[in-house]
Amino acid sequence: MSMFKDPFDPRSLLGRCSCGGNHRAADHDRLTMAAAPAMAAMPAAAPAPAGEEARWNRVVDAAVLRATFPVDDNRRRFLKTVGAATALAAISSVFPLAAAREAFAQGGAPEKKDLKVGFIPITCATPIIMAHPMGFYSKQGLNVEVVKTAGWAVIRDKSLAREYDAAHMLSPMPLAISLGIGSNPVPWTMPAIENINGQAITLAIKHKDKRNPKDWKGFRFAVPFDYSMHNYLLRYYVAEHGLDPDKDISIRSVPPPEMVANLRADNIDGYLGPDPFNQRAVYDGIGFIHLLTKEMWDGHPCCAFTVSKEFAGQNPNAYRALLKAIIDATAYASKAENRKEIAKAIAPQNYLNQPETVLEQILTGTYADGLGAVKKDPKRIDFDPFPWNQFAVWILSQMKRWGQLKADIDYAKVASEVYLATDTAGMMKEMGLTPPDPSKKSIVVMGKAFDPAKPDDYVKSFAIRRS
């Protein structure tokens, strides 16, 4: 007999025995054999609930019913008389059953319900943004204000100043913050990836005949931030084509919302940046998509949901509720059939402030490339919350390769302390989702395999590097 019996099933026993019966364990065999004919005559029991959350809901329901009907026979007669639906409605009218379920599932009410979460207006932040208008935060008992922010340095500084309780960050940023690269070291955590893929190299339309990167000497490129997948992927890409990213081209940080304007003003020749600004350059007729970054590394991480270790430690229930909302929203965003609805939800001015048609092209993967072709790639952007430690080790190797990280470090230790795969796996299980095996992640970038056990050897294998 399952420990997660349906308490609203008159067949169920909820008493003192380990089977749930209201009898001593020593009397189990005698009483259950005597009850067998009557039990067989009752309707079949409901199937065991799917997912950890549903199972624990039944534990709460059983506890409430046990308190209401201390004697199983009375409860069972009542259920047989009025039916499960009427019984549930009657109890819910006098006892906050839904609230009890939620409190139990979270291990207690959030210590802080009014929260601020900073975000940059890009499609990488889709789960963080959509969780507001689509009710994923409120479902967890949170009143979250999502705050549009101008750039990544501002996101970092406001997070460090505790103006934001949590933030949308680039996946390298929590590593950099924790190690004190570019700022004072502060322990930071990343319990969830926001998106995989979803970036592109966009060039000014005047360069449509310069598709070979060897022709890019002297080009001026923008990336969103020094500590970004965009910076590392652009450097990797041009270096694989024989260009030194510090000598043959120029790279500067430009906030994503300013990239299109800089391309239009001819301040830059192109950028490796996030959407919607690759597609927006096409929409405005000033640029074309040279390459989706998934063509370099399919499934690479980009942005992330992050909190300080201090916040997670001082507000464990609020942290759990936030993480649960993010994972729930990410799972919803991962389904292709939900993408048009999501595009509409995040298009308004207070979120992305973009035409729905631009967002639909990105999220559905049917898009114009700016060179007269319409392409289809449903995985142009995807959403997967699992924070693979292998991602962190690869990022750290690129920090080392380009001279950002000068000290020797224990790559695996830093990765596991910042990328909280254990937290995410546990939460996914509670939500009825199946987390992946954390050891099974292969990384291949432009045809070259990465061994996370040998990051320093990987760095030394490149002819173009700073260290």
Side-chain angles (χ1 to χ4, degrees):
M1 184 177 290
S2 168
M3 69 172 286
F4 296 105
K5 297 175 291 295
D6 182 358
F8 290 94
D9 180 349
R11 294 168 56 96
S12 297
L13 297 169
L14 306 177
R16 301 189 303 266
C17 179
S18 61
C19 78
N22 192 28
H23 52 255
R24 294 179 304 156
D27 294 329
H28 172 83
D29 290 340
R30 175 177 59 82
L31 292 173
T32 53
M33 285 181 67
M39 295 288 282
M42 293 181 184
E52 198 73 10
E53 181 178 4
R55 289 193 288 269
W56 285 119
N57 282 348
R58 289 198 176 180
V59 173
V60 174
D61 293 350
V64 172
L65 276 174
R66 186 181 295 116
T68 307
F69 297 97
V71 179
D72 263 318
D73 284 345
N74 294 340
R75 177 185 58 83
R76 287 160 64 180
R77 281 197 297 270
F78 176 70
L79 290 173
K80 287 174 68 178
T81 301
V82 304
T86 301
L88 178 60
I91 290 173
S92 297
S93 69
V94 296
F95 183 84
L97 193 56
R101 287 172 171 176
E102 189 58 41
F104 186 83
Q106 294 184 12
E111 301 84 357
K112 186 177 182 182
K113 292 185 178 181
D114 296 330
L115 303 170
K116 285 187 177 181
V117 178
F119 75 94
I120 301 292
I122 56 179
T123 51
C124 304
T126 292
I128 286 175
I129 299 169
M130 63 179 267
H132 184 254
M134 298 179 74
F136 288 92
Y137 294 127
S138 58
K139 179 181 174 183
Q140 303 304 324
L142 300 173
N143 178 30
V144 171
E145 178 186 358
V146 288
V147 185
K148 187 187 293 190
T149 310
W152 295 109
V154 181
I155 281 272
R156 178 193 61 195
D157 294 345
K158 285 182 175 290
S159 297
L160 290 172
R162 300 184 182 86
E163 292 181 42
Y164 294 158
D165 299 289
H168 163 213
M169 288 187 180
L170 298 157
S171 53
M173 288 174 64
L175 295 164
I177 292 171
S178 295
L179 292 170
I181 301 172
S183 65
N184 292 326
V186 177
W188 220 261
T189 67
M190 195 196 82
I193 291 284
E194 283 298 285
N195 71 297
I196 55 176
N197 301 331
Q199 322 305 305
I201 296 176
T202 294
L203 297 178
I205 202 72
K206 68 179 182 179
H207 296 309
K208 64 182 180 180
D209 295 324
K210 292 185 178 179
R211 303 302 301 278
N212 188 337
K214 292 181 180 180
D215 296 331
W216 293 357
K217 279 194 175 183
F219 271 30
R220 303 153 299 164
F221 280 97
V223 296
F225 201 50
D226 288 344
Y227 312 107
S228 68
M229 287 296 297
H230 312 82
N231 186 27
Y232 305 137
L233 289 174
L234 178 60
R235 287 171 170 274
Y236 196 111
Y237 183 71
V238 298
E240 288 297 292
H241 287 88
L243 299 183
D244 188 316
D246 292 315
K247 298 175 182 177
D248 296 322
I249 64 172
S250 65
I251 302 175
R252 64 188 179 97
S253 295
V254 174
E258 299 176 17
M259 287 181 166
V260 174
N262 275 274
L263 195 67
R264 181 183 288 108
D266 198 29
N267 294 329
I268 54 177
D269 295 286
Y271 48 83
L272 197 159
D275 275 312
F277 302 109
N278 302 298
Q279 202 61 49
R280 186 59 191 261
V282 173
Y283 182 81
D284 289 354
I286 62 171
F288 68 94
I289 295 173
H290 167 73
L291 180 86
L292 298 180
T293 51
K294 75 182 291 286
E295 298 173 58
M296 298 170 56
W297 172 6
D298 193 5
H300 71 79
C302 183
C303 289
F305 168 74
T306 73
V307 299
S308 68
K309 282 199 173 180
E310 179 184 60
F311 177 85
Q314 292 181 356
N315 306 279
N317 296 333
Y319 163 68
R320 279 175 52 81
L322 266 175
L323 179 56
K324 193 171 184 179
I326 293 298
I327 292 175
D328 198 9
T330 305
Y332 191 84
S334 71
K335 296 177 181 178
E337 62 268 25
N338 298 329
R339 297 288 178 86
K340 287 190 176 182
E341 176 193 5
I342 292 169
K344 184 174 183 178
I346 65 177
Q349 184 176 5
N350 55 328
Y351 300 129
L352 294 191
N353 192 26
Q354 294 290 328
E356 281 183 44
T357 184
V358 170
L359 300 181
E360 282 189 12
Q361 288 185 67
I362 297 160
L363 293 173
T364 65
T366 299
Y367 64 97
D369 68 356
L371 295 173
V374 174
K375 296 188 174 181
K376 292 187 178 182
D377 188 339
K379 299 293 185 181
R380 171 177 173 170
I381 186 171
D382 209 354
F383 303 95
D384 182 348
F386 198 75
W388 298 91
N389 285 184
Q390 293 91 329
F391 286 166
V393 177
W394 187 88
I395 290 167
L396 291 167
S397 78
Q398 298 309 291
M399 290 180 172
K400 195 72 176 282
R401 177 183 181 183
W402 300 115
Q404 292 177 335
L405 176 59
K406 302 184 185 303
D408 291 331
I409 61 168
D410 185 331
Y411 290 87
K413 183 174 183 290
V414 172
S416 64
E417 288 177 349
V418 178
Y419 279 37
L420 302 183
T422 301
D423 281 21
T424 307
M427 181 62 74
M428 289 177 74
K429 287 179 181 177
E430 285 186 24
M431 298 173 68
L433 303 172
T434 303
D437 182 337
S439 67
K440 293 182 178 178
K441 180 48 122 181
S442 60
I443 293 175
V444 179
V445 185
M446 295 185 70
K448 183 171 182 173
F450 170 64
D451 184 350
K454 299 177 180 178
D456 283 324
D457 290 347
Y458 183 70
V459 172
K460 293 173 184 176
S461 71
F462 295 103
I464 301 176
R465 64 180 194 272
R466 299 284 82 83
S467 62

